[in-house]
Amino acid sequence: MSPNGSDRSSRRPVRRKLLQALAAGLVLATATGCTSKDFPRLGMPTPVTEEAPRILSLWQGSWAAALATGVLVWGLILWAVIFHRRSRTKIEVPAQTRYNMPIEALYTVVPIIIVSVLFYFTARDETELLKTSKKPDHVINVVGYQWSWGFNYMENVDGKVTTPKQNAKEIEAIPNRMLSAVPKGAEGVYDAGVPGQRNPQNGHPGPTLWLPKGESVQFILTSRDVIHSFWVVPFLMKMDVIPGHTNRFEVTPNREGTFMGKCAELCGVDHSRMLFNVKVVSPERYKQHLKDLAKKGQTGYIPAGIEQTDAAKNAETNNT
């Protein structure tokens, strides 16, 4: 067989593998179950709060930047492979370049610029997302514990501002600067979940957190034992629930429905059972739910967590 024929036969397996790889990539790209409406969100669920579109925009921008960088790098690699491949007729080694200061400066400066731009937009959006109001419409203490969730609704259920505010020992772990957001006359009601609990409407596991549509809700996050993470999937954000340190954030739900929530921090052997539901309803139904909890005798609060560390007590926050 001629040398040329041998070269052609040796290249066939490579071409076959390349075609197989391209076919596999096409299958992976088209078999995700996403529709044309889902594609612009790049895997993110439909936002259900007024704050979530900002997170979605940051996610999309990050993907666009990563794709542009990837296309540039892949293009340079392919360019080098195609136009600087070894010649079949020439066997001499091409000229070697040890130092090229413009190129070295380029691949040092460009990554710094990319990271700086990503940092700017991340810091800008994070600052906005973590802003909390001095007087939100509702304050809910989310309590994480092995292996479920509890919800202290710090609400004025009876509607009387003359009712003494509940400053029970169960919530002593929460800093006073956060309790100042609790409305006057708030006697509070609670709901404590267990791992085997299920939502009566859809059968999804875990307790159900009720929220009012179109009204701001400030979450105060506390833990009784280890680090958990409060994650409502269509909120597009999550926050750690840390023993000895209280976190908080604020959202305004804008879509009714029942949504999935889970612990996003590996917290022990039954971490996978730390599921919950979030039910967004009208403000009227939300108030009725609080009254139903009161009728069941679930008034006051469940223990919020362990004592705060000195660093957490003395932390300075900028609220709006």
Side-chain angles (χ1 to χ4, degrees):
M1 182 179 293
S2 66
N4 291 339
S6 177
D7 290 343
R8 285 195 295 268
S9 62
S10 64
R11 290 197 297 269
R12 287 172 185 169
V14 176
R15 292 177 179 175
R16 189 179 300 112
K17 290 180 180 179
L18 180 60
L19 290 174
Q20 291 173 349
L22 291 174
L26 182 62
V27 170
L28 288 174
T30 57
T32 58
C34 296
T35 65
S36 59
K37 294 182 179 179
D38 297 327
F39 182 75
R41 296 197 305 274
L42 300 172
M44 284 285 195
T46 302
V48 299
T49 68
E50 292 183 2
E51 295 77 13
R54 178 182 289 272
I55 303 174
L56 179 59
S57 177
L58 180 63
W59 172 258
Q60 292 168 324
S62 299
W63 265 94
L67 181 60
T69 304
V71 168
L72 175 62
V73 173
W74 298 329
L76 291 173
I77 291 174
L78 291 174
W79 178 77
V81 169
I82 295 172
F83 294 102
H84 293 277
R85 68 187 185 278
R86 182 177 179 181
S87 174
R88 297 177 185 174
T89 59
K90 298 179 181 179
I91 60 174
E92 67 270 13
V93 177
Q96 304 296 299
T97 301
R98 292 184 177 274
Y99 300 102
N100 188 312
M101 292 306 295
I103 291 180
E104 291 186 15
L106 180 68
Y107 65 60
T108 300
V109 173
V110 169
I112 292 176
I113 294 174
I114 293 173
V115 172
S116 299
V117 171
L118 291 174
F119 175 81
Y120 166 76
F121 286 106
T122 301
R124 182 200 64 180
D125 291 344
E126 181 181 14
T127 300
E128 291 299 319
L129 291 167
L130 295 183
K131 283 183 178 179
T132 54
S133 305
K134 292 183 178 180
K135 291 298 178 182
D137 296 324
H138 306 277
V139 179
I140 299 176
N141 171 214
V142 176
V143 184
Y145 50 85
Q146 298 171 319
W147 308 99
S148 193
W149 300 87
F151 310 113
N152 285 326
Y153 297 90
M154 299 179 164
E155 301 277 7
N156 182 3
V157 181
D158 61 10
K160 300 178 181 178
V161 294
T162 56
T163 304
K165 182 186 290 187
Q166 182 68 263
N167 289 321
K169 62 179 181 179
E170 286 81 6
I171 58 173
E172 288 179 350
I174 301 175
N176 290 332
R177 68 176 184 275
M178 297 186 183
L179 291 177
S180 63
V182 177
K184 294 182 179 180
E187 66 274 17
V189 291
Y190 69 86
D191 191 8
V194 295
Q197 190 173 346
R198 289 186 176 272
N199 183 288
Q201 281 77 37
N202 56 25
H204 290 175
T208 300
L209 169 64
W210 289 57
L211 300 177
K213 176 185 175 182
E215 298 182 353
S216 61
V217 181
Q218 188 173 124
F219 296 110
I220 298 177
L221 310 178
T222 56
S223 171
R224 293 184 190 173
D225 35 54
V226 299
I227 298 178
H228 303 282
S229 184
F230 181 67
W231 182 25
V232 183
V233 178
F235 283 10
L236 307 191
M237 73 172 294
K238 54 192 173 185
M239 184 171 285
D240 282 349
V241 185
I242 304 173
H245 180 87
T246 304
N247 284 329
R248 62 175 169 173
F249 69 97
E250 191 171 313
V251 299
T252 302
N254 58 11
R255 178 181 171 188
E256 293 189 15
T258 302
F259 310 103
M260 180 188 301
K262 59 180 69 178
C263 176
E265 185 82 27
L266 181 59
C267 56
V269 64
D270 281 336
H271 159 72
S272 61
R273 302 180 68 189
M274 287 201 62
L275 306 174
F276 63 97
N277 303 278
V278 173
K279 189 177 182 67
V280 180
V281 297
S282 65
E284 293 75 22
R285 285 192 66 192
Y286 174 75
K287 292 178 181 179
Q288 184 58 49
H289 175 67
L290 299 182
K291 293 178 180 179
D292 293 340
L293 291 176
K295 289 179 182 178
K296 294 178 183 178
Q298 295 174 218
T299 56
Y301 306 117
I302 60 173
I306 65 175
E307 184 180 358
Q308 301 294 282
T309 62
D310 290 337
K313 288 179 180 179
N314 299 327
E316 296 182 1
T317 58
N318 295 321
N319 298 328
T320 57

